[in-house]
C-alpha cells in the first residue's frame, strides 16, 4: 500500500516543486533525474510486491468499495509503469547531460511520469481519465520544447488532435456510467454483460477510437508523422516510448480486461486494422527521406503488431501484445535518441535498434517478433504470417536506408542538411552517447536473457485473464 | 489589447462593473467553500468564480491595467504552486499515519471544530488548495493569452 501511494506522491510532489524552479540550471535538471530514479525505485519495489503476492489494491479514504476511488496495481499496470518511467528517466538524463533549454522542461517530465503512474495504477475509469489528462497536458507542453516554428506547429497539431481523442474518451466514460451505473473497472467488467449489446459496443468503440488516436493506429495516425518528426529527439522519444503506452495499455485494459465480449466480437476488424497499420507504416517509411520522419512512420507500423496480437487474443496473444509494447517502446526510445547524435559508437547502437525493430536475434526485438509470430500461427492464418514477414522485411529495409544515409554518408552534407535544420545541430556529447549505448546494451541483454521479460508479460496477460474470468463468474 | 479609455476600448460601464464584481465574487467563493460537503459547493467552483472575475477585469482594463489595479495578481504562479502543494499535503498526509490516502481528519462521526459555518477539517484545506490552484492557473492563463512572455527570442 505504501509503495503504491509513494509511486504517485514522489513524482507528483517533486514535479510540482520542479516546475516552478528554473530547469535550465543544472542542479534542477539533475534533481528531476533523481526524482524519476526514485520513482523507478518505488515502482520496482511495488512490482516485486505484485509479482510475489498478487495485485495490490486499496480504496482511498478507507471508504467501502463502490464509494471510494480504487487504486490498484496488478502485473499489467506495473509492467507499463516501469516501462514508461524508465523511458522518461532516460530522456530526462539525456537532456540533462547536454543542456536543458527551457525552464519548465524537467518539472513537466516528472509530472508526465506522475500522470502515467496514476493511470497505470488505478482501478477506476474516471480516475484513469483524470491522470490521462494530467499526462497529456504535460505532453502537450513538452511537444513545444525547443520553441522553434516546427515544434510549435507540432504542438498545435498534437494538442488539437489529442484533445479530440480525449473528448471521445470522456464521452465513452460518460456512456459507461450511463449504461452500467458504476466507474470501478472490476464492476464495469461484471455489469457490461447485462447491458444491451448495441450500447456496450458503442461505448467500446469510443474507447477503441480514443486509444487508437493515442497510439497512432492506421486510420487515426494522421497527426503522428508531423509531430514525431518535428519535436526534439528527447521529446519524440518520450512521446513514442512513454505517452504511446497509454494507448497500448488502454487497449489491453479496456479491451481484454473489461469489454471482453466486444473484443471477441470485433477481433477480425482489429486484426485487419493492425495488418493495415503494419503495411502502411512500412511502405511509407521506405518512401521518406528524413530519419525522424521514417521513424515516425515506422512507429505507425510497429503498433500494428500490438493490435494484431490483441485481436487474436488468448493468453498467447495478450502476452505477445504486452511483450511487443515493451520491446517497441524501448526500440523507439533508442532510435529517436540516436537521431540527435553522431559518431561510430552511435552508429553501432543504431544497428542494435534497427535489428531489434526488424526482429533479428541478438536484440530483444527478436523475442517480441517471435511472440507475435506464435500468435499468428496460433490463429492459423497464413495470410497474417505472410503480412508479418512483409512488415519485418520492410522495417529492415527502411532502417538500413537510414543507416546508409546518416552514418555512412556522414560527410555528404546535402543528404542530412534538411533534417538538421529542423532539429538543431547534432551534438557529439560523450555522456549522451554513453546513455544511448547503455540503452542499447539493455536491448541486447534483453535479447540474450529474455526470461524475465517473458515472465513479466505472461504475468501481465494472466492478470487480465483473471480480471475477465472474475467478470464471467 | 486596446488601451483603456480609447474610443474602441470597453465602455466605462464594463470597467466599473468589473471592479465592482470582484468583491462579491470573492464573497461567493468563500461561501461556496464553506457551505460545501453537505450542500452544493467546492474549491473548484469557487476558484472558477474568482477566476472569471479576474478574467473580466483583464478584459475591461487590459492585462497590464488589471495588474496595476490589483498588484496581488503578480503572485499568481506562486499562489497556484502553493495551492497545489496544500492540496497534495491534505491528500497524502495519512501516508505518514499508515492510513489510506485521502482519509480526512477529523474522521466520520468525530467532533469537528467549527468557526461559524466553516468546519476545520482536512477536506476543507484540500478544497482551499484546489481553490488557490484554479485561481492561480486562470490568472496565469489570462496573463499569457493577453501578453505572451518573450522568453524565447526567435
Amino acid at each position: 500500500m505504501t509503495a503504491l501511494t509513494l509511486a504517485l506522491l514522489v513524482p507528483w510532489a517533486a514535479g510540482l516543486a520542479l516546475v516552478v524552479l528554473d530547469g535550465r540550471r543544472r542542479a534542477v535538471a539533475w534533481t528531476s533525474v533523481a526524482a524519476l530514479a526514485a520513482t523507478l525505485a518505488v515502482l520496482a519495489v511495488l512490482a516485486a510486491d505484485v509479482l510475489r503476492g498478487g495485485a495490490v489494491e486499496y480504496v482511498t479514504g478507507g471508504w467501502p468499495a463502490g464509494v471510494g476511488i480504487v487504486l490498484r496495481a496488478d502485473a499489467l499496470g506495473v509492467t507499463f509503469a516501469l516501462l514508461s518511467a524508465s523511458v522518461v528517466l532516460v530522456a530526462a538524463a539525456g537532456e540533462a547531460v547536454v543542456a536543458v533549454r527551457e525552464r519548465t522542461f524537467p518539472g513537466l517530465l516528472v509530472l508526465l511520469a506522475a500522470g502515467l503512474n496514476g493511470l497505470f495504477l488505478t482501478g477506476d475509469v474516471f480516475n484513469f481519465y483524470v491522470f490521462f489528462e494530467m499526462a497529456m497536458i504535460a505532453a502537450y507542453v513538452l511537444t513545444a520544447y525547443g520553441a522553434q516554428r516546427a515544434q510549435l506547429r507540432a504542438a498545435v497539431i498534437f494538442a488539437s488532435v489529442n484533445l479530440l481523442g480525449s473528448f471521445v474518451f470522456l464521452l465513452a466514460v460518460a456512456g459507461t456510467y450511463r449504461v452500467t451505473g458504476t466507474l470501478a473497472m472490476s464492476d464495469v467488467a461484471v455489469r457490461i454483460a447485462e447491458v444491451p449489446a448495441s450500447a456496450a459496443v458503442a461505448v467500446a468503440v469510443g474507447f477503441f477510437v480514443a486509444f487508437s488516436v493515442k497510439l497512432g493506429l492506421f486510420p487515426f495516425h494522421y497527426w503522428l508523422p508531423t509531430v514525431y518528426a518535428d519535436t526534439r529527439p528527447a521529446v519524440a522519444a518520450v512521446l513514442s516510448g512513454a505517452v504511446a503506452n497509454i494507448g497500448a495499455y488502454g487497449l489491453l485494459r479496456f479491451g481484454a480486461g473489461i469489454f471482453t465480449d466486444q473484443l471477441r466480437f470485433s477481433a477480425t476488424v482489429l486484426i485487419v486494422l493492425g495488418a493495415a497499420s503494419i503495411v502502411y507504416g512500412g511502405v511509407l517509411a521506405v518512401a521518406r527521406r528524413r530519419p525522424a520522419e521514417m521513424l515516425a512512420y515506422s512507429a505507425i507500423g510497429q503498433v500494428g503488431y500490438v493490435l494484431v496480437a490483441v485481436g487474436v487474443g488468448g493468453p498467447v496473444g495478450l502476452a505477445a501484445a504486452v511483450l511487443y509494447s515493451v520491446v517497441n517502446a524501448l526500440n523507439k526510445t533508442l532510435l529517436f535518441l540516436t537521431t540527435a547524435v553522431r559518431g561510430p559508437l552511435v552508429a553501432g547502437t543504431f544497428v542494435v535498434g534497427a535489428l531489434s525493430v526488424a526482429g533479428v536475434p541478438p536484440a530483444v526485438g527478436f523475442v517480441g517478433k517471435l511472440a507475435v509470430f506464435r500468435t499468428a500461427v496460433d490463429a492459423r492464418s497464413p495470410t497474417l504470417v505472410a503480412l508479418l514477414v512483409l512488415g519485418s522485411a520492410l522495417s529492415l529495409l527502411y532502417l538500413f536506408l537510414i543507416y546508409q544515409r546518416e552514418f555512412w554518408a556522414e560527410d555528404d552534407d546535402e543528404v542530412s542538411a534538411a533534417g538538421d535544420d529542423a532539429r538543431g545541430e547534432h551534438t557529439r556529447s560523450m555522456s549522451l552517447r554513453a546513455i544511448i549505448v547503455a540503452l542499447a546494451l539493455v536491448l541486447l541483454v534483453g535479447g540474450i536473457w529474455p526470461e524475465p521479460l517473458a515472465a513479466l508479460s505472461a504475468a501481465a496477460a494472466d492478470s487480465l485473464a483473471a480480471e475477465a474470468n472474475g467478470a464471467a463468474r | 489589447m486596446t488601451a483603456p479609455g480609447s474610443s474602441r476600448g470597453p465602455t466605462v460601464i464594463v470597467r466599473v462593473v468589473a471592479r465592482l464584481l470582484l468583491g462579491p465574487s470573492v464573497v461567493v467563493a468563500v461561501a461556496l467553500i464553506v457551505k460545501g460537503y453537505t450542500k452544493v459547493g467546492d474549491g473548484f467552483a469557487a476558484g472558477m468564480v474568482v477566476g472569471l472575475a479576474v478574467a473580466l477585469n483583464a478584459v475591461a482594463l487590459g492585462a497590464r491595467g488589471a495588474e496595476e489595479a490589483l498588484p496581488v495578481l503578480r503572485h499568481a504562479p506562486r499562489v497556484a504552486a502553493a495551492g497545489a502543494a496544500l492540496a497534495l499535503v491534505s491528500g497524502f498526509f495519512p501516508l505518514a499515519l499508515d492510513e489510506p490516502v485521502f482519509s480526512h481528519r477529523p474522521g466520520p462521526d468525530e467532533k469537528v471544530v467549527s468557526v461559524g459555518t466553516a468546519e476545520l477539517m482536512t477536506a476543507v484545506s484540500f478544497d482551499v488548495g484546489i481553490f488557490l490552484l484554479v485561481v492561480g492557473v486562470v490568472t496565469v492563463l489570462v496573463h499569457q493569452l493577453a501578453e505572451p512572455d518573450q522568453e524565447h527570442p526567435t
Side-chain angles (χ1 to χ4, degrees), chain A residues 365-415:
Chain A
F366 171 65
V367 186
K369 276 273 156 63
L370 189 66
V372 177
F373 274 102
R374 268 187 60 195
T375 314
V377 172
D378 264 22
R380 297 180 193 287
S381 163
T383 331
L384 200 53
V385 177
L387 271 173
L388 294 181
V389 173
L390 175 67
S392 303
L394 281 173
S395 60
L396 206 57
L397 176 62
Y398 60 70
L399 285 166
F400 279 90
L401 277 175
I402 303 182
Y403 182 72
Q404 191 186 8
R405 282 182 204 150
E406 288 295 304
F407 293 101
W408 281 5
E410 199 183 356
D411 297 327
D412 187 359
D413 286 333
E414 243 180 311
V415 177

Side-chain angles (χ1 to χ4, degrees), chain A residues 1 5-6 9 12-13 16 20 24 58-62 102-103 147, chain B residues 77 81 84-85 88 92 95 98-103 108 151-152 154:
Chain A
M1 182 175 110
T5 318
L6 279 178
L9 180 62
W12 207 340
L16 275 178
V20 293
R24 285 168 297 190
Y58 81 94
V59 185
T60 55
E102 264 176 48
R103 53 181 305 144
Chain B
L88 265 192
F92 280 90
L95 187 63
D98 209 21
E99 289 171 20
V101 289
F102 289 97
S103 303
E151 202 184 331
H152 317 289
T154 41

Side-chain angles (χ1 to χ4, degrees), chain B residues 35-107:
Chain B
K35 85 185 187 72
Y37 314 104
T38 49
K39 292 178 191 148
V40 180
D42 63 346
F44 186 82
M48 286 316 295
V49 169
V50 175
L52 284 176
V54 169
L56 181 61
N57 262 280
V59 169
L61 305 174
R64 196 164 294 157
E67 266 159 51
E68 274 162 18
L70 295 164
V72 70
L73 293 186
R74 295 207 183 95
H75 301 294
R78 258 161 284 172
V79 168
L86 177 62
L88 265 192
V89 169
S90 309
F92 280 90
F93 80 93
L95 187 63
L97 310 173
D98 209 21
E99 289 171 20
V101 289
F102 289 97
S103 303
H104 289 295
R105 287 298 171 88

Side-chain angles (χ1 to χ4, degrees), chain A residues 23 30 43 47 54 131 152 174 204 234 253 261 295 310 320 366 434 442 457 462:
Chain A
W30 281 108
L43 284 173
F131 281 112
L152 291 177
R253 172 67 76 202
D261 292 338
L295 290 177
V310 172
F366 171 65
V442 169
S457 38
D462 282 351

